């Protein structure tokens, strides 16, 4: 996998193929000598040894701390929270969103909120999937921001304060039937898309995660989402079918641009 950001290049490949992959890069571009990646576009990647192998974390602690610091600098008291959002507040936000559909407040007054929501979206999409649902809800009511939404924003930032140091980890598992020096073929790589749905009134929620399974490495999450479904349904099976359709859409790029198989998985048998 090759990632480009301005003039920074990140190359991910099995150890036995790294030299050949880097040689292909040098055939097309000029580049300095590579080194082990410990930080990329502000995200640190600490590596720790565990019993089953090595474990790499996605560390965005500094970024999350900056959100807490900026909100406290406004004079807002941010108390540590054990949950990213309150369940009762969720009902209030959903009801208000349904009743104020199409209404937009003064854009100038919303710049502060949009700044925080944008930063939280980047955080949830990069290294903190545990706040994805809360961020999605708050983002949906940005245009009609009120005291309830502000209180939940403070709660969410308090959750980041309470969970400071929490990282998203990827663990490498050593396979018992293969040695460390065993080379793997491309056909062993497989993508999986897991989807699920929660039946709600008036519209249900869909969630999903896409993983890539690499022999000798394990199964790693590379994409995740949580969003409200576009149409209303009356049964859990129908909600799961919509979630499956969204999973197909999210996996389209992988199926078209990759030669590796993509499996779509759901825990609802009727669907």
């Amino acid at each position: 996998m090759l990632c480009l950001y301005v003039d920074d290049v990140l190359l991910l490949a099995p150890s036995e193929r790294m030299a050949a992959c880097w040689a292909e890069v040098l055939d097309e571009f000029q580049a300095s000598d590579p080194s082990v990646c410990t930080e990329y576009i502000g995200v640190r990647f600490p590596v720790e040894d565990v019993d089953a192998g090595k474990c790499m974390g996605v560390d965005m602690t500094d970024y999350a701390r900056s959100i807490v610091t900026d909100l406290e600098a406004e004079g807002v008291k941010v108390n540590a929270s054990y949950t990213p959002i309150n369940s009762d507040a969720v009902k209030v936000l959903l009801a208000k969103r349904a009743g104020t559909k199409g209404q937009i407040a003064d854009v100038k007054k919303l710049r502060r909120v949009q700044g925080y929501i944008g930063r939280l979206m980047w955080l949830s999409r990069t290294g903190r999937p545990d706040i994805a649902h809360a961020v999605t809800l708050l983002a949906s009511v940005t245009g009609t921001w009120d005291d309830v939404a502000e209180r939940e924003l403070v709660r969410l930032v308090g959750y980041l304060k309470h969970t400071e140091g929490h990282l998203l980890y990827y663990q490498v598992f050593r396979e018992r039937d293969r040695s460390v020096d065993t080379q793997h073929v491309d056909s062993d790589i497989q993508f999986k898309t897991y989807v699920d749905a929660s039946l709600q009134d008036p519209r249900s929620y869909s969630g999903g995660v896409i993983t890539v399974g690499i022999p000798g490495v394990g199964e790693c999450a590379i994409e995740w989402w949580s969003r409200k479904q576009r149409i209303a349904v009356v049964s859990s099976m129908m909600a799961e079918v919509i979630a499956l359709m969204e999973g197909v859409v999210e996996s389209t790029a992988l199926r078209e641009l990759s030669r590796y198989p993509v499996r779509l998985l759901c825990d609802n048998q009727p669907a």
Side-chain angles (χ1 to χ4, degrees):
M1 180 181 294
L2 185 66
C3 304
L4 300 176
Y5 183 79
V6 190
D7 59 349
D8 294 328
V9 178
L10 179 63
L11 179 63
L12 298 93
S15 56
E16 67 271 9
R17 297 182 57 184
M18 181 62 72
C21 292
W22 186 247
E24 293 180 5
V25 173
L26 293 180
D27 288 341
E28 301 293 337
F29 307 98
Q30 293 182 352
S32 57
D33 293 335
S35 60
V36 177
C37 179
T38 58
E39 184 174 346
Y40 187 69
I41 58 176
V43 183
R44 293 195 298 270
F45 303 100
V47 178
E48 301 176 4
D49 291 322
V50 293
D51 294 338
K54 290 186 178 296
C55 193
M56 184 192 74
V58 180
D59 187 356
M60 300 191 69
T61 303
D62 293 341
Y63 191 84
R65 187 184 297 123
S66 70
I67 298 176
V68 178
T69 302
D70 290 348
L71 192 59
E72 290 180 332
E74 296 180 3
V76 179
K77 185 177 181 181
V78 179
N79 296 318
S81 173
Y82 294 93
T83 57
I85 196 167
N86 181 271
S87 58
D88 293 332
V90 170
K91 299 177 182 178
V92 175
L93 292 175
L94 292 176
K96 180 179 180 181
R97 183 175 65 180
T100 58
K101 187 175 181 179
Q103 299 181 18
I104 300 177
D106 186 0
V107 177
K108 293 183 179 179
K109 296 181 180 180
L110 297 177
R111 288 180 179 175
R112 165 186 170 274
V113 174
Q114 290 172 337
Y116 280 115
I117 294 299
R119 294 164 70 182
L120 288 168
M121 291 178 68
W122 166 248
L123 181 62
S124 67
R125 295 284 293 162
T126 307
R128 292 296 300 266
D130 54 324
I131 67 171
H133 183 60
V135 174
T136 299
L137 283 172
L138 291 177
S140 68
V141 296
T142 301
T144 54
W145 200 257
D146 60 2
D147 293 340
V148 176
E150 180 68 23
R151 184 168 62 250
E152 293 309 307
L153 172 64
V154 176
R155 184 191 304 275
L156 177 55
V157 176
Y159 176 76
L160 294 179
K161 185 176 183 179
H162 172 67
T163 58
E164 181 176 329
H166 284 204
L167 309 182
L168 176 64
Y169 282 103
Y170 294 98
Q171 187 168 348
V172 177
F173 296 95
R174 296 193 181 98
E175 298 181 353
R176 296 179 180 178
D177 56 341
R178 299 192 185 189
S179 65
V180 177
D181 297 329
T182 301
Q183 295 187 0
H184 303 278
V185 296
D186 288 347
S187 59
D188 294 334
I189 299 175
Q190 186 178 82
F191 291 98
K192 293 181 181 179
T193 301
Y194 299 90
V195 297
D196 200 1
S198 174
L199 181 63
Q200 296 184 21
D201 184 24
R203 288 186 293 165
S204 304
Y205 267 89
S206 297
V209 58
I210 299 177
T211 67
V212 55
I214 304 175
V217 175
E219 190 173 6
C220 305
I222 58 175
E223 173 73 353
W224 50 83
W225 64 89
S226 172
R227 64 173 70 101
K228 199 173 188 66
Q229 295 183 355
R230 296 181 179 273
I231 61 176
V233 295
V234 296
S235 71
S236 59
M237 184 203 68
M238 297 172 67
E240 295 281 357
V241 170
I242 294 176
L244 284 168
M245 293 172 61
E246 293 180 352
V248 171
V249 173
E250 294 291 341
S251 306
T252 299
L254 289 176
R255 290 187 288 107
E256 292 184 353
L257 302 178
S258 171
R259 63 179 181 274
Y260 306 124
V262 181
R263 294 182 61 193
L264 186 61
L265 302 172
C266 175
D267 63 352
N268 188 285
Q269 292 184 355

